[in-house]
Amino acid sequence: MAKLKDLEAYREEIEQCVKCGACRAHCPVFGAERREGRVARGKIALSQAVLDGEIDFDAKVMEDLSQCLLCGSCGAGCPNKVPTEEIVAAARRRIAQEKGLSTFGKGVAAVIGRPKLMNALAKTGGKLSNLLFKKLPENSGLRLRFPVPYLESGRTLPPFTDKPFRERCPDRIEGEAGKPTVAFFTGCGINYMYPAVGEAFLKALKFLGITVIIPKDQACCGLPAVAAGAGSTVETLAEQNFAALTREPVDFILTACASCNAGLVKVYGDMEGECAELGPKTRDIFVFLLEQGLAEKLAELPRAAVRKVVTYHDPCHLRTQGITQEPRAVLKALPQVEYVEMENAGTCCGLGGTYSVYHYENSKKIGALKAGNIETSGAELVATDCPGCIMQLQDSINHAGGKQRAVHILELLNEALPD
Amino acid sequence: MIEARIVRILTGILGKEHVSTEKADLLCYSYDATQQKFLPDVVVHPATAAEISLIMKMANSEKIPVFPRGAGSGFSGGSLPTKGGIVLVTERMNRILEIDSENLVATVEPGVVTEQFQLVVEKLGLFYPPDPASLKFSTLGGNVAECAGGPRCVKYGVTKDFIIGLEIVTPQGDIITTGGPTMKGVVGYDLTKLICGSEGTLGIITRIIIKLLPLPEAKQTMLVMFASIDGAAQAVSAIIGNKIIPTTLEFMDGRTIDCVRKATNLEVPEAARALLIIEVDGDREFLAKQVEKIAAVIQPLGVVETRIAKTPAESEALWQIRRSVSASLRKVNPDKFNEDICVPRSKVPEMIRKVDAISEKYGIPIVNFGHAGDGNIHVNVMIDKKIPGEAEKAEKAIEEVFKGALTLGGTMSGEHGVGIAKAPYIPLEITPKAADYMKAIKQALDPNNILNPGKIFLDN
């Protein structure tokens, strides 16, 4: 049985926080609010006080604990590597146990916990968005403004697809003998909002002769449920994904979404039970592609005379795992790309999954900093490795009145590779 | 518990959202890096000197203690609300008010984060050298209050050497200015220097006038490993004796190297029992010659290996050895007492030997690293508090370390300050007569002892 750790099980990690304050330099939420309850050190102190019976989960404690993107920047920058995002997630689970899930949390758990319902909702969304936006040009920012319950108007969202990616693609694409066999964990972003990224993924692996299996009964990785404190939903999803991803033997499980990668590697990896086995098998797509010699193959292609100026945004869920060079290496190797580094490429875009739904104003403040850095870099495209970040980056750029477009690196790779 | 009436007054001054008596907020402002905890009664977030003035006038007449706080990253408990009362957080006052490139002067509010200020002035080709290890998150107000140091102090001096004027709110609620934006100024007592390092006991800093330097064109980093601590110490003397003042001269002793070697995969040869990270800055063409000269001067002193960085990335790789110390220490023991004694730089090897003897006497690992260029040694006493008797042994060991430093003509704090952590040891270093004069200053400015009481000097 998959089992997530209880808050009490983190006592040792909590006690490793020496309250030095280093997390203040890394926390995007603290950057926007500058209150101690908003930074990792404060949340650790509150979690410790709860465990010690010094305070209950009162409204203020719950508000402070809700003000975390779970981006992991604090832990990565912490001298003692205190895993605050895991501790906050465990605290939220404890809150859900004691007080019940929030209405929104219940919604999240209900939708992502039931893939069929999610499919139906996404398809309806897709039909609606087609209806709403069919008269607008594809590159219009307005095309992306899509009012959704719980989401404030004015937010940019990609139109949902009426045919999810996993319904469009085969179960298996045979590659060359002697090359690895991989399972593609698509994640919800690619499946419902960015199917073109999924197509690009398959094209890249075909180019390298890799055999790909796309298990159709895979579910959401569960990260939104982690954020909402819906522990049992996460555990159920982990088991479902374990079954789907281990039905056929594969060498690796690949992700093209930073959050899914963190879900499989870190969340499942820390679980009790067999689901933890998925962690070590999971690779980010660009780590894998470089291992398979993509850079060398790209070097054989002629460099384009006119190139697009592209910068890279580090998704937190890859950066905090130390995956920063591989996506850049692929971008730099693309024949049609002129790469520029932007300032603070490694700071969070402000999405934080459900955080941006609960705390959209703060999310926008954090995103505005990113939009400014993209503008200053002079890039026309900001590429990244996470559908969630793409959505937030485009929203932030649109709010700032920028002209840039946010894309997945795979989309650019898709352009570069021969058909 | 603070009276509801007082909270209403504070709310009247600051508005509801900047005053809190919520338990969660009291907990969040109850600690600093000393790992001690004292709950305040109320937390306030003022935005102006005028608001602070009103708060202090009220607190003074009601005799409520006020504890000013920047980032709360101090190692000596300087900002802890040891007597309840009001924690006054300066973080909303975080504007850089002026950068005068012509006169090399800047004016800032106290809540500006040190590194953010450095980055802004560096874009203009200017330089603010003080670089405490906490610079990415500590505030300039806190740095001034504690007179923060850092690796670059060997060449450039500490925080107070760059502060030429202040605006403060006195414990009685007056707003006064000290010094000003001129390079010279000898009218009256130098209250600026008095406030720098006064640990928030004499006034609340609301504005800081900072002297800047031109940004050095380049810097170069070298890492030199020695067969003994004596070799490293002699190297420091030899470099300075040859009229070269590096920007930084950081050292790590053999035990620290062992920790890093065990905890990381950084390559440090077994023969290295001490190392120096030497950085020089200035004109580009001048640097290569300086590095060459340093390497030649120290070569006969038991050098095991010298690594010279050619690029910023290589320089960062060399610093990585120093940066990995903190995390690697935890593998020795979970709890750390980080003291920051300072001795004349020629006495560093003698001090290390004394610390080693103390470590052996009490059977507690003590790891030393720090700023060799100015004799400032971070003595890290590593224990496991869960083992009965360990904390008491550590306390005794620390007292002996302080005494050892004082017998060598040193001081028990080079850059962390006294706060509450070192208050019991003050009589070791400051004579009763000198302490009386200091207390007289405090009495004159704060007759009701409401501003950060119980810090530096014990109450009785």
Side-chain angles (χ1 to χ4, degrees), chain A residues 101-125 148-150 160 166 188 191-192 218-225 228 230 233-234 236-237 240 354:
Chain A
L101 280 171
S102 67
T103 314
F104 180 69
K106 278 181 195 157
V108 166
V111 174
I112 67 169
R114 295 189 184 91
K116 279 184 185 163
L117 173 64
M118 194 163 176
N119 236 19
L121 283 175
K123 283 181 179 176
T124 310
V148 175
Y150 276 107
F160 278 65
R166 289 200 299 269
C188 307
N191 194 38
Y192 298 117
Q218 58 178 284
C220 168
C221 68
L223 228 51
T233 304
V234 183
T236 308
L237 291 169
Q240 211 168 321
T354 52

Side-chain angles (χ1 to χ4, degrees), chain B residues 343-344 347-348 350-352 354 403-410:
Chain B
V343 295
K347 305 283 188 192
V348 168
E350 203 174 327
M351 190 64 224
I352 300 286
K354 273 181 192 285
K403 284 180 178 165
L406 293 169
T407 54
L408 294 176

Side-chain angles (χ1 to χ4, degrees), chain B residues 1-10 13 41 54-66 85-86 171-172 446 448-451:
Chain B
M1 276 298 284
I2 209 154
E3 293 171 50
R5 178 178 61 89
I6 302 295
V7 177
R8 276 199 298 275
I9 296 172
L10 290 169
I13 298 169
D41 294 315
L54 290 172
I55 295 167
M56 293 313 294
K57 280 180 179 156
M58 185 275 289
N60 191 44
S61 70
E62 300 282 346
K63 300 196 174 41
I64 298 167
V66 178
I86 301 169
Q172 299 181 71
D446 186 9
N448 292 319
N449 193 26
I450 56 142
L451 188 58

Side-chain angles (χ1 to χ4, degrees), chain B residues 153-166:
Chain B
C153 294
V154 56
K155 178 168 179 179
Y156 293 105
V158 295
T159 302
K160 71 179 168 197
D161 297 314
F162 290 85
I163 307 305
I164 52 177
L166 293 170

Side-chain angles (χ1 to χ4, degrees), chain A residues 259-317:
Chain A
S259 299
C260 296
N261 188 279
L264 267 61
V265 174
K266 292 176 74 179
V267 179
Y268 296 4
D270 277 349
M271 277 183 170
E272 286 172 26
E274 59 190 5
C275 296
E277 292 164 21
L278 297 181
K281 271 197 153 177
T282 303
R283 292 276 184 289
D284 169 68
I285 177 70
F286 299 110
V287 173
F288 177 80
L289 290 176
L290 290 177
E291 283 169 3
Q292 297 299 316
L294 178 74
E296 293 76 10
K297 296 249 184 187
L298 288 176
E300 290 165 9
L301 301 174
R303 297 289 282 176
V306 181
R307 295 198 284 271
K308 293 171 181 170
V309 183
V310 182
T311 192
Y312 176 66
H313 159 74
D314 284 287
C316 299
H317 285 139

Side-chain angles (χ1 to χ4, degrees), chain A residues 16-22 24-25 30 34-37 41-42 45-46 49 54-55 60-61 64 79-80 343, chain B residues 17-18 22-25 27-29 31-33 35 37 45 71-73 91 94 113 123 136-137 327 330:
Chain A
Q16 279 167 2
C17 170
V18 294
K19 311 286 189 294
C20 67
R24 294 163 69 95
F30 179 72
R34 305 205 73 78
R35 293 284 168 110
E36 191 69 27
R41 182 171 67 164
L46 293 175
E54 214 178 326
I55 193 170
K60 182 66 173 59
V61 175
D64 281 338
N80 287 351
E343 211 171 311
Chain B
E17 63 178 306
H18 302 304
E22 296 263 12
K23 183 79 182 281
D25 283 328
L27 280 163
C28 283
Y29 291 94
Y31 50 73
D32 68 358
Q35 299 196 65
K37 185 160 113 178
H45 294 263
S73 55
E91 286 199 274
N94 61 0
V113 172
K123 278 190 180 159
K136 285 180 188 296
F137 47 96
R330 266 189 51 240

Side-chain angles (χ1 to χ4, degrees), chain A residues 24 48 52 55 315 340 375:
Chain A
R24 294 163 69 95
Q48 191 159 19
D52 292 343
I55 193 170
V340 291
E375 172 84 41

